[in-house]
Amino acid sequence: MIHYIVYGITIAMYISAFVILNKLESRKAKKILKIGSCITACDMFLSFIFLKFFPTKIDFYIKEPFYSFWIGMLFFIILFIPLYYIRFIKITYYGIKLQDTIRKYVVLVLVPSLVMLYFGSDFGFVYINEMNVWVILLVLANFLTIKQLWKKLIRLDILFKMLGTKRYLKAFFITFIIQVIHVGIPEEYFFRVFLIGCLLPLGDVAAVIISSLIFGIGHIFFLRKSQDYLLSYSQSIIYHTSIGIFLGTLWIKFPCLWIQALLHAFFNSLLLVYSFGKQMFFSEKSK
């Protein structure tokens, strides 16, 4: 029964997101719709292939998954937002607040680790490596296909002309390293390792979808800083929930925390290199 409820909620959220974006007239809404459609189509297709034709290879378990899940989520809600607003470190690196990175590691890594430790869960997932080179190449091909489909929308061609090959690669490398540290490791640890580990008793697909919905909805708070609620909600579903489903499927079929964190960071870098590269270009011009 729980599976049908999860599927119904997910389908309803996707339909509502696409309907909202179709009705909004702003250029940003149209851009989100086009990019989000590419991400959703590519990620859902490959997720289906992985779920249909490959066995689940998670060989660790979280003890007391029900209590672990709710304790982890409780601390996520209680700590994440307050730590965002209480400023205690003013250091930034490449536009990222050091405090935000510390907050992520406290809430997304330290807290779930303490919860798992308390219940005596196995930490063997740190050493699991079921990933292989063919899967990595397939994932990279998927990400690059998405990039090709929306490269004109995020104007990567203009950025490349502005920076040239050497500076473009430098911008991408810096963006990638930042994404590994600030996003890849903490988010994969919490949303894939911890949440899916807690939700696996519900079944593979339900665990992936529920953790991905939480992953997507969790981004609304940050998207809301630069746009309204309707855009934030829609973008969180067709961007973040879609990539969450793909990464969640990847985790249960080919678990390897460290490679997964790198792949997550690589995908983010494809999308975010434009804003960082543009910032780097104008910073150099002003000197």
Side-chain angles (χ1 to χ4, degrees), residues 168-229:
Y168 177 86
L169 291 175
K170 178 184 175 181
F172 186 87
F173 177 76
I174 293 172
T175 305
F176 175 71
I177 296 300
I178 292 170
Q179 288 301 305
V180 171
I181 297 169
H182 185 69
V183 174
I185 294 173
E187 291 191 3
E188 289 307 303
Y189 192 93
F190 183 79
F191 292 104
R192 255 58 73 182
V193 175
F194 179 70
L195 287 190
I196 289 179
C198 291
L199 295 166
L200 273 176
L202 300 176
D204 296 356
V205 178
V208 168
I209 292 176
I210 294 171
S211 65
S212 301
L213 288 174
I214 296 171
F215 177 68
I217 292 169
H219 282 79
I220 294 176
F221 174 75
F222 301 100
L223 294 171
R224 180 65 186 87
K225 292 186 293 184
S226 59
Q227 57 197 33
D228 62 35
Y229 282 112

Side-chain angles (χ1 to χ4, degrees), residues 55-248:
T56 298
K57 294 183 179 178
I58 294 291
D59 60 358
F60 80 96
Y61 62 97
I62 292 179
K63 293 182 179 178
E64 301 293 344
F66 178 82
Y67 294 111
S68 295
F69 174 81
W70 287 111
I71 292 172
M73 287 303 301
L74 180 65
F75 277 101
F76 176 80
I77 295 168
I78 290 174
L79 293 177
F80 204 85
I81 295 177
L83 286 176
Y84 179 82
Y85 284 109
I86 300 172
R87 293 294 171 190
F88 53 88
I89 297 177
K90 295 183 178 180
I91 300 172
T92 62
Y93 61 101
Y94 294 106
I96 302 292
K97 295 181 177 68
L98 179 60
Q99 176 176 320
D100 291 344
T101 302
I102 294 172
R103 181 192 72 240
K104 277 194 167 186
Y105 278 87
V106 169
V107 179
L108 303 183
V109 178
L110 179 60
V111 168
S113 294
L114 292 176
V115 171
M116 288 189 286
L117 190 64
Y118 177 79
F119 288 115
S121 297
D122 181 11
F123 280 81
F125 60 82
V126 174
Y127 309 104
I128 294 175
N129 183 10
E130 295 291 343
M131 192 77 71
N132 62 65
V133 66
W134 297 110
V135 174
I136 294 173
L137 291 174
L138 188 59
V139 173
L140 292 176
N142 178 53
F143 290 161
L144 292 171
T145 299
I146 295 171
K147 178 203 160 193
Q148 286 299 114
L149 291 172
W150 46 244
K151 69 177 181 178
K152 290 183 179 179
L153 293 169
I154 57 173
R155 309 179 68 134
L156 286 178
D157 52 338
I158 294 176
L159 176 66
F160 197 83
K161 290 177 182 177
M162 285 168 54
L163 295 179
T165 304
K166 187 175 180 180
R167 285 190 297 170
Y168 177 86
L169 291 175
K170 178 184 175 181
F172 186 87
F173 177 76
I174 293 172
T175 305
F176 175 71
I177 296 300
I178 292 170
Q179 288 301 305
V180 171
I181 297 169
H182 185 69
V183 174
I185 294 173
E187 291 191 3
E188 289 307 303
Y189 192 93
F190 183 79
F191 292 104
R192 255 58 73 182
V193 175
F194 179 70
L195 287 190
I196 289 179
C198 291
L199 295 166
L200 273 176
L202 300 176
D204 296 356
V205 178
V208 168
I209 292 176
I210 294 171
S211 65
S212 301
L213 288 174
I214 296 171
F215 177 68
I217 292 169
H219 282 79
I220 294 176
F221 174 75
F222 301 100
L223 294 171
R224 180 65 186 87
K225 292 186 293 184
S226 59
Q227 57 197 33
D228 62 35
Y229 282 112
L230 288 177
L231 272 179
S232 300
Y233 164 77
S234 301
Q235 184 172 346
S236 72
I237 298 301
I238 66 173
Y239 274 31
H240 301 99
T241 300
S242 295
I243 189 65
I245 289 173
F246 176 68
L247 291 171

Side-chain angles (χ1 to χ4, degrees), residues 3-17 44 205-206 208-210 212-213 233 237 241 245:
H3 297 83
Y4 295 110
I5 295 173
V6 171
Y7 300 156
I9 292 173
T10 305
I11 292 169
M13 292 178 76
Y14 268 94
I15 291 174
S16 65
M44 291 302 185
V205 178
V208 168
I209 292 176
I210 294 171
S212 301
L213 288 174
Y233 164 77
I237 298 301
T241 300
I245 289 173

